[in-house]
Amino acid sequence: MTTKEFATEFNILYNNISSNASPGLNLFEISSYLTKAQLEIIKEYNGIVNKYQKGFDANDKRRIDFKNLIKDFKSTSFTINSNKLTSSLNSKFFTIPSDVFLIKYEQGTYINGSCQKEISIIPISLDRFNTSVKSPFKKPNKDIAWRLDYNLSNLKTVEILSSENITTYHLRYVQYPEPIILTNLSTNSEFTGLNLSIDGVTTEQTCKLDIEIHREILDRAVELALRDYKENSLQNKVQLNNRNN
């Protein structure tokens, strides 16, 4: 759907469902609801706020819906940092793309003699790290490495902890979705001087996901708007906040 189609169909649905009783919304407000709806659906179907208990690969439709968000990244560039949490494991810091939202798959490689070996990498919390790092039965081995999330010089970074000397880090991830913006917020005279943006973006752009999911996002955005403007009760607000957390 184009930005014009999103705006037109949003207003038709919004006005029909509310019987024209709800306040009208400008293009910035509609854009905000569409962007929020898009993120909410992505979270639900990735298990973050998941009332359906499904994932991106739950069925063929979802694989199509979200295929544009799946990205691949491989790096052989790493640093060895004095901030590493333990000296009993090899620690490598890899900078990852800034648009990483959710990591779906990751592995590393290391050299064993004349052969290159692959090693699975699993995320680990600091609490689990603290309880497992001193246990010879729970620590990483030649088949498993740990990943801790980190921020190094304001860059998204992962610390890979392994018994082996990891040389390559490979991940497949879900990209953070770009906002849906129905008009140029910096040039539209309706918003002059307001310095409006959504996720730091001001330029007009439609949804980057597959067109198959556009109307689902549209329907969810209308639902969010109606909850805010028509059914503005405490109970609805609490339910909506719970869905987004």
Side-chain angles (χ1 to χ4, degrees):
M1 296 174 69
T2 66
T3 55
K4 183 177 181 180
E5 289 170 336
F6 264 118
T8 300
E9 294 199 28
F10 181 97
N11 282 319
I12 291 172
L13 286 172
Y14 179 73
N15 291 327
N16 284 346
I17 295 173
S18 67
S19 300
N20 293 307
S22 296
L25 301 176
N26 61 40
L27 290 177
F28 172 72
E29 291 171 315
I30 297 173
S31 300
S32 297
Y33 282 119
L34 288 166
T35 300
K36 187 175 182 179
Q38 173 181 245
L39 184 59
E40 188 175 286
I41 290 172
I42 290 170
K43 286 181 175 181
E44 284 181 357
Y45 279 90
N46 198 61
I48 298 178
V49 182
N50 196 344
K51 64 183 180 182
Y52 304 111
Q53 296 301 310
K54 299 177 181 177
F56 272 21
D57 296 326
N59 53 52
D60 288 340
K61 181 182 185 305
R62 284 304 169 200
R63 282 190 285 273
I64 293 172
D65 287 344
F66 299 117
K67 70 179 187 298
N68 294 343
L69 289 181
I70 305 300
K71 304 296 180 183
D72 200 74
F73 174 77
K74 183 180 288 188
S75 176
T76 57
S77 178
F78 58 83
T79 59
I80 299 174
N81 195 288
S82 60
N83 292 329
K84 64 181 182 178
L85 294 179
T86 178
S87 59
S88 65
L89 294 169
N90 289 311
S91 171
K92 303 285 181 66
F93 290 81
F94 292 86
T95 300
I96 61 176
S98 60
D99 63 352
V100 170
F101 181 38
L102 302 165
I103 295 176
K104 302 294 291 180
Y105 165 84
E106 53 193 322
Q107 73 169 24
T109 59
Y110 65 93
I111 303 299
N112 183 9
S114 60
C115 299
Q116 181 172 277
K117 299 288 187 178
E118 295 180 348
I119 186 171
S120 297
I121 297 174
I122 60 173
I124 187 171
S125 66
L126 284 173
D127 287 340
R128 184 180 170 195
F129 172 87
N130 289 331
T131 59
S132 302
V133 69
K134 296 181 180 180
S135 169
F137 305 105
K138 297 180 179 179
K139 289 172 62 175
N141 53 46
K142 63 182 180 62
D143 298 313
I144 297 291
W146 288 344
R147 183 249 299 169
L148 287 170
D149 296 313
Y150 199 72
N151 187 301
L152 189 62
S153 301
N154 292 320
L155 297 173
K156 280 191 175 181
T157 306
V158 294
E159 180 181 7
I160 305 301
L161 297 155
S162 174
S163 62
E164 309 303 320
N165 185 24
I166 302 291
T167 56
T168 303
Y169 177 60
H170 179 205
L171 74 153
R172 189 157 293 178
Y173 67 95
V174 180
Q175 177 187 29
Y176 194 90
E178 294 187 32
I180 302 169
I181 303 179
L182 305 184
T183 185
N184 191 312
L185 299 173
S186 60
T187 60
N188 188 315
S189 59
E190 184 178 357
F191 308 117
T192 300
L194 298 179
N195 296 319
L196 296 177
S197 65
I198 300 176
D199 294 342
V201 180
T202 62
T203 54
E204 180 178 337
Q205 57 184 33
T206 190
C207 179
K208 302 299 177 65
L209 301 186
D210 193 271
I211 194 171
E212 287 284 336
I213 200 174
H214 285 190
R215 280 189 169 77
E216 186 175 345
I217 292 170
L218 180 67
D219 290 341
R220 179 66 63 86
V222 172
E223 176 192 342
L224 296 176
L226 289 171
R227 287 194 178 192
D228 273 353
Y229 286 90
K230 183 182 178 184
E231 303 172 2
N232 194 21
S233 68
L234 177 59
Q235 181 179 1
N236 284 324
K237 282 289 187 181
V238 170
Q239 290 174 348
L240 190 58
N241 289 333
N242 286 338
R243 193 166 70 184
N244 291 327
N245 292 330

